[in-house]
Amino acid sequence: QKEVEQDPGPLSVPEGAIVSLNCTYSNSAFQYFMWYRQYSRKGPELLMYTYSSGNKEDGRFTAQVDKSSKYISLFIRDSQPSDSATYLCAMSAYSSASKIIFGSGTRLSIRP
Amino acid sequence: EADIYQTPRYLVIGTGKKITLECSQTMGHDKMYWYQQDPGMELHLIHYSYGVNSTEKGDLSSESTVSRIRTEHFPLTLESARPSHTSQYLCASSEPLQGNYGYTFGSGTRLTVV
């Protein structure tokens, strides 16, 4: 079983829709939860991260972590065509020696 | 704009050739990483370094080798390329306090071995 599971999509929604992206994980030691965005032919870029449980909002993006269910989500409000990309969830434990474990990514397309 | 650079961006090479993928960062980060990414698959860590003269193998077995002689430079070498090495290779770096969440990635090298 993979440590991090992510639906690969593709997911296609009309412009202006609310998008929900999700990941599940199995390692209860994970404390940092991240979302990276990867445009075609580019490396991933950190979108936002949260530590432990709870919500975090940054503009049109909201990240949620439910550690009891081992489930994380990224919501995108008022989606734009420029949001079309692959979104990777990622997680790591608290130890400074921990490496980041990435999901396989969800390909998102926003239709104008 | 990311301050981590990978060259070449694309490389098509014949089986048996020796290749070196370059990665340089200008941020002074001690921690650097090499990931392998295939389409629709998660990133797999193949090598990492926590500083000069420090290199470790990652979770995914790889026939490649790395070196870290200077802080800013973390090249990856394949002594004899094979078609199974065809993949995208991503280099990343992080500050010590952001090693758990804040990686900066390069744009990657897409390698094709024919």
Side-chain angles (χ1 to χ4, degrees):
Chain A
Q1 183 188 3
K2 294 181 181 180
E3 283 191 281
V4 178
E5 297 277 1
Q6 184 173 11
D7 187 336
L11 182 62
S12 180
V13 301
E15 183 176 354
I18 296 175
V19 176
S20 172
L21 304 171
N22 311 293
C23 287
T24 59
Y25 63 96
S26 58
N27 189 344
S28 58
F30 287 147
Q31 294 281 1
Y32 290 92
F33 301 92
M34 296 142 269
W35 288 95
Y36 282 79
R37 179 175 60 195
Q38 186 174 20
Y39 290 114
S40 179
R41 306 188 190 285
K42 295 286 188 181
E45 58 176 333
L46 180 65
L47 199 56
M48 55 196 306
Y49 78 94
T50 55
Y51 176 72
S52 194
S53 285
N55 296 356
K56 187 173 185 178
E57 188 173 318
D58 184 0
R60 297 184 293 109
F61 298 87
T62 299
Q64 287 186 352
V65 175
D66 182 348
K67 292 186 72 178
S68 62
S69 302
K70 295 189 175 66
Y71 188 87
I72 71 169
S73 301
L74 177 71
F75 297 95
I76 306 174
R77 292 184 300 279
D78 187 25
S79 55
Q80 303 295 311
S82 59
D83 295 328
S84 298
T86 296
Y87 290 80
L88 299 100
C89 63
M91 307 168 192
S92 70
Y94 179 77
S95 165
S96 61
S98 295
K99 268 73 75 180
I100 295 178
I101 307 298
F102 289 85
S104 56
T106 298
R107 189 185 303 176
L108 173 66
S109 176
I110 310 297
R111 306 189 302 270
Chain B
E1 190 74 24
D3 295 310
I4 183 164
Y5 306 98
Q6 290 186 244
T7 57
R9 287 294 310 278
Y10 304 93
L11 180 62
V12 180
I13 201 162
T15 298
K17 299 291 186 182
K18 178 180 178 180
I19 58 172
T20 296
L21 308 185
E22 301 288 348
C23 177
S24 294
Q25 49 97 2
T26 59
M27 298 170 284
H29 290 170
D30 285 326
K31 295 183 176 182
M32 296 190 73
Y33 315 84
W34 275 104
Y35 281 87
Q36 190 171 333
Q37 184 182 35
D38 294 313
M41 303 294 289
E42 58 268 28
L43 279 71
H44 288 291
L45 181 66
I46 51 176
H47 297 283
Y48 62 97
S49 167
Y50 284 170
V52 171
N53 295 325
S54 155
T55 61
E56 300 287 345
K57 288 188 178 294
D59 304 320
L60 181 68
S61 175
S62 174
E63 294 164 347
S64 58
T65 59
V66 292
S67 62
R68 190 85 183 278
I69 299 173
R70 303 197 314 267
T71 298
E72 62 272 20
H73 195 212
F74 191 40
L76 181 146
T77 298
L78 276 166
E79 291 292 333
S80 180
R82 293 208 300 268
S84 61
H85 297 138
T86 294
S87 187
Q88 169 151 276
Y89 293 85
L90 289 162
C91 181
S93 70
S94 68
E95 295 180 13
L97 295 181
Q98 293 181 322
N100 293 89
Y101 62 87
Y103 288 8
T104 301
F105 282 88
S107 293
T109 293
R110 187 168 296 278
L111 173 66
T112 302
V113 183
V114 297

